[in-house]
Amino acid sequence: MQTTKLSFKDVTKFYHDGETTVEVLRNVNLEVGQGEFVAIVGPSGSGKSTFLSIAGALLTPSSGQVFVDAKEVTNLSKKKLTETRLKEIGFIFQGANLVPYLTVLDQLLVIPVLNGERKVGKKRALGLLEELGLMHRKNQYPDRLSGGERQRVAIARALMNDPEVILADEPTASLDSERGRKVVEMIAREVKRENKAAVMVTHDERVLDLCDRVVRIEDGRLAEAH
């Protein structure tokens, strides 16, 4: 039986703009299971970024429940939300978001330091760099890397805390079609091999065939794409 790793139950998010209430997400329900890679597509302003922020415990919903690895995170304190992000969730950002003054290896070693697990970090970091074909670049700084290499470093960094859920925000946006596809193939491979759950927000229809499911979001509502 497949284990659910990320679950949204009747999640709504709204903001008050003066006397107007703006609903960004409306009664969203979604379950992502172990070993499943889900793409979320939709026009700008449809609620994709808000969905990803709530899934990543960066925002709390106005109503509804969110579960990460079967634990409800909806009403956690700021400290507990931070712990959840550090231990359970791996983020892959658009444009990689690497720290310019850290080498490739040090980009990864920051994560276990934040988790208070400094000793276990280096072996895992080197293993991930080996897997992703980056060992020969481990002492380089981001400005010496290609766009594809920077995104591979971002994937390795996202996997450093051995997260249950991987969230990718437009990971192909700054890449050409060939490099973009390779990056998404790597995410898909890691999801299957390590039994993770992953959600990718994307505009890139050329990589949707690599996902198990495609979900469309429009006006804050989710619907399975056919």
Side-chain angles (χ1 to χ4, degrees):
M1 184 178 172
Q2 189 185 53
T3 304
T4 300
K5 290 294 181 181
L6 176 67
S7 179
F8 274 50
K9 295 186 184 299
D10 297 319
V11 169
T12 293
K13 181 67 177 178
F14 57 79
Y15 298 97
H16 294 294
D17 183 9
E19 294 183 1
T20 307
T21 299
V22 180
E23 237 181 1
V24 186
L25 294 180
R26 305 179 186 186
N27 297 322
V28 168
N29 289 280
L30 182 69
E31 291 193 350
V32 184
Q34 193 175 41
E36 190 174 26
F37 188 15
V38 175
I40 295 185
V41 299
S44 296
S46 58
K48 297 191 303 295
S49 295
T50 301
F51 174 90
L52 215 57
S53 294
I54 290 175
L58 293 164
L59 270 182
T60 53
S62 303
S63 62
Q65 296 171 290
V66 180
F67 297 83
V68 175
D69 198 24
K71 295 184 284 286
E72 187 173 2
V73 299
T74 319
N75 296 309
L76 293 181
S77 65
K78 285 188 178 180
K79 182 180 178 183
K80 289 290 186 184
L81 282 173
T82 300
E83 285 179 12
T84 298
R85 287 194 296 273
L86 284 172
K87 296 181 184 296
E88 306 285 354
I89 299 166
F91 292 94
I92 303 170
F93 299 101
Q94 180 177 333
N97 275 18
L98 301 182
V99 182
Y101 53 82
L102 293 181
T103 65
V104 166
L105 180 57
D106 286 339
Q107 304 280 344
L108 274 61
L109 293 178
V110 161
I111 304 300
V113 169
L114 292 172
N115 273 335
E117 299 172 349
R118 189 186 302 262
K119 290 182 181 178
V120 301
K122 192 164 186 180
K123 183 178 179 182
R124 179 164 178 79
L126 292 173
L128 285 167
L129 293 179
E130 182 73 45
E131 274 180 39
L132 294 172
L134 289 163
M135 277 294 279
H136 66 299
R137 308 295 268 161
K138 67 180 182 181
N139 295 318
Q140 296 290 341
Y141 291 91
D143 64 351
R144 304 300 299 272
L145 305 178
S146 70
E149 286 172 334
R150 284 195 290 270
Q151 279 299 61
R152 276 188 276 159
V153 175
I155 292 171
R157 182 180 60 187
L159 295 169
M160 266 302 288
N161 59 345
D162 196 21
E164 296 299 330
V165 177
I166 299 166
L167 301 174
D169 183 12
E170 300 280 3
T172 68
S174 58
L175 304 175
D176 61 42
S177 58
E178 184 181 353
R179 284 178 176 161
R181 189 169 182 84
K182 284 182 178 175
V183 161
V184 179
E185 283 173 348
M186 286 175 195
I187 298 170
R189 190 161 58 242
E190 292 300 319
V191 168
K192 300 302 180 191
R193 181 164 57 196
E194 301 293 333
N195 261 331
K196 307 297 184 189
V199 176
M200 173 179 67
V201 163
T202 185
H203 282 101
D204 192 348
E205 295 191 358
R206 297 167 298 186
V207 298
L208 296 182
D209 61 300
L210 298 169
C211 301
D212 299 303
R213 272 195 293 154
V214 178
V215 177
R216 184 165 186 81
I217 187 168
E218 198 154 359
D219 297 327
R221 297 185 186 277
L222 288 188
E224 296 280 337
H226 299 290

